[in-house]
Amino acid sequence: MTDLADLTATELLAGYASGAFSPVEATRSALARIERTEPAVNAFVRVDAEDALARAAESEERWRRGEPGGLVDGVPVSVKDILLQRGGPTFRGSRTVRAEGRAWDEDSPSVARLRENGAVFLGKTTTPEFGWKGVTDSPRDGVTGNPYDPQRTAGGSSGGSAAAVALGEGPLSLGTDGGGSVRIPASFCGVFALKPTYGRVPLYPASPFGTLAHVGPMTRDALDAALLMDVISGPDHRDWSQLDAVTASFRDGIDGGVEGLRIAYSPSFGGRVPVDPQVAESVGRAVERLAELGARVEEADPDFEDPVEAFHTLWFSGAARVVEHLTPDQLELLDPGLQEIVAQGGQYSALDYLAAVDVRMALGQRMGRFHNDYDLLVTPTLPITAFEAGAEVPKGSGHHRWTGWTPYTYPFNLTQQPAASVPCGTDRDGLPIGVQLVGARHSDTLVLRAAHALYTSGAADISPPGGS
């Protein structure tokens, strides 16, 4: 028999509607999977089985009456421990956050929309401290391992969410993306992730990293991500920068395919990025599949200089802002790497910050012109596969910060464009590889459509991790 923990959200909902199984059964399967796989991977900081089963029982009764309470009624979900979820503390991976002294009675907007739509909350997933880096380990919660090899990193900063989805610890998870922070772990863990256009999913409290930070879905496939986007894109007055309300479903037209789409393939950003040959081969096959499906593919490069220094100015300044209220003793509790970037961020002037904004605007204009000629840009999500867990950079790489090995992701946080990571193969060690699809601002549905085409063609099929 199929283990319900291995089904997508779409498949679970179909089963609930037909009476083949129930939300309680699905939730028990997810909880059993967590109990079996968690000690090795450490994807969760907190699991609330009692609350999950209570919510599942309420959902089961609604389905029995033929009155489901929302788009994801009864679907097990997890939430990154950066986003507020009422009923428990949000530690953000930091020993400086205390549970006492706060009511913890508020949901972030995306969490509130999930609650309104009947989701079953399994628990909160791991994050590096305040989500500051592209791998997931923190002084408070330890190291999150890769579901394909726990000795390797799950990526980050949404590593716990990606690992949970890969392992069948719930088919839907919410992550946050500041510089690739849903796409990086999605690539390493073999799942799907979408960084929506900035403002498409409301965010509260506002991120100290400013408009670099997005909330996005981490799922088994693109169809589930479109479903989750239908839920979490609902308006919320607490986010002053949100976009207009969505007037159609993200699932509308998702089966439209890629025939006739103009796709630019940039394998190495004009030779600037050294790419593992196994990654290049797998991504190349995915691009060939897009061409076979009717897309007009040509190799083309957006031809911009690496904006890493501007990104660092904005990101490190945000990190300094995150912790500026802490006492000297509390600062000593922080991740040593975070302490380093906080010190650097505190040295930037307002003029430095505005100069970085200028770089950002110029990059956005360049990509706007680029998308006049191309509907999508396709790149590797990452030039490497997962490396040693607990390290910010691969040993011997020469990189100092995580941005050194993520050259394909953070530029598109600067430009606020939608971007997705789709699994497209594995290396000789069985570690997942991802292909990145980048669209013009506001073209989230097009990105989802192209990703869905890869899934339905079989190009995104990889074996699940052995522990699931």
Side-chain angles (χ1 to χ4, degrees), residues 286-309:
V287 172
E288 289 172 2
R289 182 58 60 88
L290 290 170
E292 292 166 0
L293 294 171
R296 291 155 36 200
V297 178
E298 64 178 279
E299 192 166 317
D301 187 71
D303 192 29
F304 54 74
E305 294 183 4
D306 188 354
V308 68
E309 293 305 323

Side-chain angles (χ1 to χ4, degrees), residues 282 285-286 289-290 293 422-425 453-462:
S282 288
R285 285 197 300 267
R289 182 58 60 88
L290 290 170
L293 294 171
V422 182
C424 63
L454 287 174
Y455 274 98
T456 55
S457 72
D461 291 339
I462 66 171

Side-chain angles (χ1 to χ4, degrees), residues 286-340:
V287 172
E288 289 172 2
R289 182 58 60 88
L290 290 170
E292 292 166 0
L293 294 171
R296 291 155 36 200
V297 178
E298 64 178 279
E299 192 166 317
D301 187 71
D303 192 29
F304 54 74
E305 294 183 4
D306 188 354
V308 68
E309 293 305 323
F311 182 84
H312 282 172
T313 298
L314 300 172
W315 193 256
F316 296 175
S317 297
R321 174 67 172 164
V322 169
V323 302
E324 68 172 353
H325 67 285
L326 298 180
T327 67
D329 287 345
Q330 288 176 313
L331 290 172
E332 289 297 317
L333 297 175
L334 297 177
D335 180 330
L338 179 56
Q339 293 182 42
E340 289 179 11

Side-chain angles (χ1 to χ4, degrees), residues 85-98:
Q85 181 183 328
R86 75 173 191 242
T90 297
F91 288 111
R92 305 173 78 190
S94 181
R95 292 181 291 176
T96 67
V97 177
R98 302 299 182 200

Side-chain angles (χ1 to χ4, degrees), residues 70-72 109-117 119 172 225-235 250-251:
L71 293 176
V72 290
S110 51
V111 178
R113 301 296 87 78
L114 280 169
R115 192 182 299 276
E116 292 164 5
N117 279 270
L172 305 178
L227 169 66
L228 188 48
M229 285 293 291
D230 281 346
V231 174
I232 64 177
S233 295
F250 287 91
R251 290 168 287 170

Side-chain angles (χ1 to χ4, degrees), residues 10-29:
T10 303
E11 291 167 337
L12 288 177
L13 291 167
Y16 300 162
S18 69
F21 44 80
S22 75
V24 170
E25 291 172 309
T27 300
R28 284 176 175 156
S29 291

Side-chain angles (χ1 to χ4, degrees), residues 36 147-148 167 463-468:
R36 189 169 83 241
Y148 284 81
L167 287 166
S463 299
S468 64

